[in-house]
């Protein structure tokens, strides 16, 4: 009974606290502008099945794909055992599904055990890849400090989760023989039915009960801890990868989004607009184009930033990064998420000092619309990084969950050129030549001189 | 240089004729000395196969690709809308380009501005000419030679065209050796995204050198490309590596013209 009360209390705290943080993440994602989903939900679901559930793009690199596959499938399957742990925890029963499912239960637990073993090995391999083999993509400058620790903490947490399962099932297997009245038979499971007796056989019943309970509580407490840790971790991809893949762009990678407001303006300048179209009101502020901050991006871009698990495949194929330039597509995503977090935290303070100066007299409540802390994405993303991009789409192609760093880079470039009228001076003659001569170079010849 | 008969859209229109396909030459194809050779080679193929085509000539402008990718939407819209006016005036239905940047912009980005056409890259049209028997190629000059193929980003990853160019090479009966990074994993030449028009950011190496080294590692004596900017970047890379005498960088259209002896 005490255990039931304790379980209920821990669950309530974990869910309410975790839930609050997930709501904040939702709020932060919605800091972005509306995303147009010129829709084709069939193609979107296909992506979810193939790329999210099917992990299709992970298999561009076989070794991590296989080990990640173990951890991922184990994660999916263990959810079934988690449901049972919940039922047992709340109603004070033991292995609720065992008598109901019978042989299927044996099969289920066996699969979970085998997958857990695979996940355990996978996790050790991943720890080794990060810390012993020092795979280059895990050791780029943006990975220093918290991101590196975060990556390792997750893996240690996974080991604890699996250790919990092994203790729980192993001790239970012995208890089924010692005290069959209280411990429902699970049938001969794949691992615990023989490893359990091998490791825990011959122990006092009291000790066995202790180990079983330790395993059970360890597993569920780490699950609750994860739930509350995820909102602060790159590991959030275990949930957000799915919506991110669903909402990812469907158009060809090479296609940049049109800017209808500029098209309209240019059409009316060139006399191409429909007759009698309204002129842009002159008294209005000059509008800003492109993006300088998270609030100018689409919410789909911010969702992508929160979905990024910092694997660095994008950076490892980026031609600029490979040749020693500062640009790292992964850093673009990490900076976007950090900035969204920063804005979110400042909005939480409700402090009027973050209201745009000119609005402070008239508006008393801080909102995302009147927010201004004097900072932008450009405080963390330098122009040098943006200018180094060749728009080659290698990063987009590399991402296993369809994150598009190029989209953000191009929106920031548009801000620099269109709103700040800045940018590399080398580009100015190119712009002028196109505008005045219709060619990318200043050329004396006719365009068809080559044919004469 | 032998004289080349290249039909102009305006002349055909004056005679009340509409060609089946418009050849969009692009800035590089029009003005860059190296890319002009590709343009001429492609026109030779069009002429020899009796393809009903024309160019816009002086009425063509930059598609606006580098301006848009640099971030300058105003310049892009000005030149793009002008081009669409011209194309729509001639009621153009089908376009072929020798430049994957022009290909991508006209195919994917002009529709939102009111320009809807069927657009093919020249490697796709060449394959089509072979498929319907108008162009016949066989081993000849390149039989057995080691050739490597460089995927341009804007034909490859941007639009998913990997096979048409490779199938052309196959028919030239040479030995295709792939680079370590190829197809969807292909490495950029370093020119895209308006990089062609500015100095590099500080780093350890130029991207074209990285790619050139990879091409050299295949042991191929010919590097085939499908983009005038890749052509420049890789040729420059070969010069920097002092390999310009041993390893030639060609566009696929040039390889075909060479093969047919149409020089």
């Amino acid at each position: 009974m005490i255990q039931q009360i304790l379980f209920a209390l821990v669950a309530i705290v974990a869910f309410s606290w975790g839930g609050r943080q997930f709501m904040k993440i939702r709020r932060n994602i919605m800091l972005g502008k509306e995303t147009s989903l010129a829709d084709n939900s069939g193609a979107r679901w296909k992506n979810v099945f193939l790329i999210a559930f099917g992990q299709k793009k992970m298999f561009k690199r076989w070794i991590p794909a296989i080990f990640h596959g173990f951890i991922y499938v184990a994660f999916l399957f263990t959810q079934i055992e988690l449901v049972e742990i919940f039922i047992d925890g709340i109603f004070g029963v033991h292995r609720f599904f065992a008598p109901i499912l019978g042989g299927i239960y044996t099969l289920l637990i066996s699969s979970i055990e085998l997958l857990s073993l695979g996940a355990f090995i996978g996790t050790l391999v991943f720890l080794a890849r990060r810390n012993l083999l020092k795979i280059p993509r895990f050791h780029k400058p943006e990975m220093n400090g918290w991101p590196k620790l975060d990556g390792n903490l997750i893996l240690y947490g996974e080991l604890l989760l699996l250790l919990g399962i092994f203790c729980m099932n192993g001790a239970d297997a012995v208890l089924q023989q010692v005290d069959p009245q209280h411990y429902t038979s699970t049938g001969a499971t794949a691992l615990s039915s023989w490893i359990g007796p091998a490791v825990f056989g011959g122990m006092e019943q009291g000790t066995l009960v202790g180990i079983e309970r330790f395993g059970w509580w360890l597993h569920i407490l780490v699950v609750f801890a994860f739930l509350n840790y995820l909102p602060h971790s790159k590991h959030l991809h275990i949930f957000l990868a799915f919506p991110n893949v669903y909402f990812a762009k469907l158009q060809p990678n090479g296609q940049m989004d049109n800017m209808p407001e500029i098209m309209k303006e240019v059409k009316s300048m060139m006399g191409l607009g429909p007759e009698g179209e309204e002129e842009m009101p002159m008294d209005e502020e000059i509008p800003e184009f492109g993006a300088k901050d998270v609030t100018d991006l689409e919410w789909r871009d911010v969702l992508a930033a929160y979905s990024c698990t910092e694997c660095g495949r994008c950076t490892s194929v980026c031609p600029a990064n490979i040749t020693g330039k500062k640009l790292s597509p992964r850093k673009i995503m990490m900076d976007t998420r950090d900035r969204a977090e920063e804005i979110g935290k400042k909005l939480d303070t409700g402090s009027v000092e973050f209201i745009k100066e000119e609005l402070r007299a008239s508006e008393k409540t801080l909102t995302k619309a009147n927010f201004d802390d004097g900072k932008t994405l450009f405080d963390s993303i330098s122009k040098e990084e943006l200018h180094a991009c060749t728009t080659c789409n290698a990063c987009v192609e590399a991402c296993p969950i369809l994150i598009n760093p190029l989209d953000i880079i191009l929106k920031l470039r548009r801000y620099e050129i269109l709103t700040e009228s800045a940018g590399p001076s080398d580009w100015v003659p190119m712009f002028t030549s196109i505008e005045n001569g219709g060619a990318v170079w200043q050329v004396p010849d006719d365009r068809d001189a080559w044919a004469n | 240089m032998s004289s080349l008969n290249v039909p102009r859209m305006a002349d055909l229109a004056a005679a009340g004729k509409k060609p089946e396909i418009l050849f969009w030459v692009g800035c590089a194809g029009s003005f860059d000395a190296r890319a002009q050779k590709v343009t001429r080679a492609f026109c030779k193929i069009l002429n020899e196969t009796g393809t009903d085509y024309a160019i816009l000539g002086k009425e063509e402008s930059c598609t606006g690709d580098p301006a848009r990718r640099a971030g300058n939407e105003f310049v892009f819209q000005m030149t793009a809308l002008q081009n669409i006016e011209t194309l729509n005036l001639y009621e153009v239905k089908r376009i072929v380009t020798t430049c994957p940047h022009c290909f991508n912009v006209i195919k994917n980005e002009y529709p939102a501005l009111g320009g809807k056409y069927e657009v093919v890259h020249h490697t796709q049209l060449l394959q089509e000419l072979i498929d319907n028997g108008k162009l016949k190629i066989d081993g000849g000059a390149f039989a057995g030679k080691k050739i490597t193929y460089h995927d341009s980003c804007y034909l490859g990853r941007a639009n998913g065209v990997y096979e048409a160019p490779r199938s052309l090479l196959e028919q030239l009966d040479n030995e295709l050796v792939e680079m370590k990074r190829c197809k969807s994993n292909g490495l950029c030449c370093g020119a895209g995204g308006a990089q062609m028009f500015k100095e590099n950011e500080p780093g350890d190496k130029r991207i074209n050198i990285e790619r050139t080294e990879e091409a050299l590692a295949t042991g191929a004596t010919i590097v085939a490309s499908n983009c005038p900017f890749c052509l420049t970047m890789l040729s420059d890379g070969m010069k920097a590596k002092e390999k310009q005498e041993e390893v030639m960088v060609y566009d696929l259209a040039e390889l075909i013209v060479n093969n047919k002896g149409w020089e």
Side-chain angles (χ1 to χ4, degrees), chain B residues 152-177:
Chain B
S152 66
C153 302
Y154 275 83
L155 191 62
R157 269 188 298 273
N159 288 290
V161 180
Y162 301 109
E163 290 315 319
R166 282 183 171 76
S167 125
L168 284 178
L169 285 172
E170 212 170 276
Q171 288 160 79
L172 285 169
D173 201 20
N174 49 62
E175 188 193 340
L176 174 65
V177 259

Side-chain angles (χ1 to χ4, degrees), chain A residues 233-290:
Chain A
S233 167
K234 60 124 185 162
H235 210 55
L236 198 49
H237 83 289
I238 63 172
F239 297 132
L240 295 191
F242 300 93
N244 190 67
V245 165
Y246 181 83
F247 290 116
K249 281 190 174 175
L250 295 171
Q251 64 212 44
N253 283 343
Q255 186 181 332
M256 272 178 82
D257 288 329
N258 194 27
M259 297 180 78
E261 64 278 28
I262 292 185
M263 179 173 77
K264 236 173 111 182
E265 174 94 3
V266 173
K267 271 190 178 172
S268 83
M269 248 169 53
M270 294 169 70
L272 296 171
E275 288 295 314
E277 200 174 329
E278 275 177 68
E279 290 271 315
M280 287 247 297
M282 294 306 286
D283 54 331
E284 245 182 58
E285 240 185 296
I286 297 166
E288 290 197 343
F289 296 114

Side-chain angles (χ1 to χ4, degrees), chain A residues 56-72:
Chain A
K56 185 178 158 198
K57 295 192 83 178
M58 282 296 287
F59 283 88
K60 275 208 158 195
R61 300 189 192 201
W62 277 91
I63 296 170
I66 289 167
F67 291 112
H68 182 272
F70 276 128
I71 298 174
Y72 161 70

Side-chain angles (χ1 to χ4, degrees), chain A residues 60 256 325 387 389 391, chain B residues 62 69 109 154 185 195 205:
Chain A
K60 275 208 158 195
M256 272 178 82
K325 278 89 180 174
H387 297 165
C389 176
T391 71
Chain B
C62 171
R69 269 134 196 91
E109 298 180 359
Y154 275 83
N185 300 325
Q195 297 296 331
K205 206 188 217 178

Side-chain angles (χ1 to χ4, degrees), chain B residues 3-262:
Chain B
S3 74
L4 195 61
N5 178 32
V6 183
R8 309 295 201 275
M9 206 68 182
D11 299 339
L12 294 190
K17 280 190 271 183
K18 250 189 245 167
E20 277 167 24
I21 194 160
L22 173 84
F23 171 26
W24 185 274
V25 183
C27 294
S30 302
F31 299 114
D32 178 87
R34 179 69 190 81
Q36 282 175 345
K37 290 188 186 167
V38 179
T39 311
R40 295 177 62 90
F42 185 58
C43 283
K44 253 173 225 153
I45 299 173
L46 294 176
N47 286 345
E48 294 281 348
T49 52
T51 306
D52 181 18
Y53 79 105
I55 62 167
L56 282 176
K58 296 176 189 67
E59 291 178 281
E60 185 188 284
S61 273
C62 171
T63 57
D65 160 84
R68 185 172 236 198
R69 269 134 196 91
N72 200 331
E73 187 73 3
F74 271 105
V75 169
F76 167 75
Q77 292 283 348
M78 278 190 268
T79 185
L81 288 167
Q82 184 58 57
N83 282 328
I84 291 167
E85 274 287 292
T86 311
L87 291 167
N88 289 351
L89 185 76
Y90 287 120
E91 296 174 347
V92 170
K93 298 276 178 293
R94 195 163 192 236
I95 299 175
V96 60
T97 81
T98 43
C99 171
H101 295 265
C102 298
F103 167 73
N104 177 67
V105 169
I106 302 175
K107 179 172 190 282
N108 296 320
E109 298 180 359
Y110 276 16
L113 278 67
K116 298 184 173 75
Y117 322 100
E118 189 206 335
V119 190
V120 291
H121 185 253
H122 73 302
T123 55
Q124 293 172 311
L125 188 75
L126 290 172
Q127 186 54 51
E128 194 182 303
L129 290 172
I130 291 171
D131 288 345
N132 57 31
K134 289 186 181 156
L135 178 63
K136 287 187 183 66
I137 49 177
D138 40 43
F142 302 108
K145 277 202 175 157
K146 259 193 185 178
I147 294 192
T148 192
Y149 171 70
H150 167 77
D151 289 280
S152 66
C153 302
Y154 275 83
L155 191 62
R157 269 188 298 273
N159 288 290
V161 180
Y162 301 109
E163 290 315 319
R166 282 183 171 76
S167 125
L168 284 178
L169 285 172
E170 212 170 276
Q171 288 160 79
L172 285 169
D173 201 20
N174 49 62
E175 188 193 340
L176 174 65
V177 259
E178 293 286 3
M179 286 184 252
K180 206 177 90 205
R181 288 173 279 207
C182 63
K183 298 186 182 171
S184 66
N185 300 325
L187 182 73
C188 175
C189 73
Q195 297 296 331
M196 186 76 188
F197 307 96
K198 70 172 204 15
E199 255 315 305
N200 283 331
E201 276 57 46
D204 311 327
K205 206 188 217 178
R206 286 179 178 269
I207 297 171
N208 64 330
I209 300 294
E210 173 86 9
R211 188 53 163 171
T212 302
E213 286 169 357
E214 205 169 350
L216 287 172
T218 62
T221 50
I222 291 170
V223 180
S225 110
N226 60 53
C227 166
F229 297 102
C230 298
L231 203 61
T232 302
M233 286 306 214
L234 295 174
S235 304
D236 286 353
M238 288 301 169
K239 272 178 222 149
K241 290 265 150 197
E242 296 183 345
K243 294 280 180 196
Q244 73 272 30
E245 303 295 329
E246 296 143 63
V247 183
M248 309 311 284
V249 187
Y250 286 123
D251 185 272
L252 284 159
E254 293 179 296
L255 291 179
I256 289 177
V257 166
N258 258 322
N259 191 59
K260 298 295 279 185
W262 285 336

Side-chain angles (χ1 to χ4, degrees), chain A residues 287-338:
Chain A
E288 290 197 343
F289 296 114
K292 68 171 184 307
D293 212 341
V294 164
T295 43
D296 305 317
L297 298 171
E298 289 172 64
W299 63 254
R300 144 164 68 199
D301 297 317
V302 195
L303 170 65
Y306 274 101
S307 310
C308 172
T309 199
E310 298 166 16
C311 72
R313 283 165 162 78
C314 53
T315 294
S316 72
V317 296
C318 171
N321 193 278
I322 289 170
T323 54
K325 278 89 180 174
K326 256 195 192 161
L327 174 64
S328 163
R330 168 173 57 190
K331 179 178 172 289
I332 302 288
M333 302 317 296
M334 291 166 76
D335 289 342
T336 302
R337 177 175 177 168
D338 289 347

Side-chain angles (χ1 to χ4, degrees), chain A residues 289 292 378 383 412 414-423:
Chain A
F289 296 114
K292 68 171 184 307
F378 290 113
K383 303 281 165 71
L412 293 170
R414 278 177 165 171
Y415 183 84
E416 189 194 13
I417 298 279
L418 297 171
T419 307
E420 293 183 324
S421 299

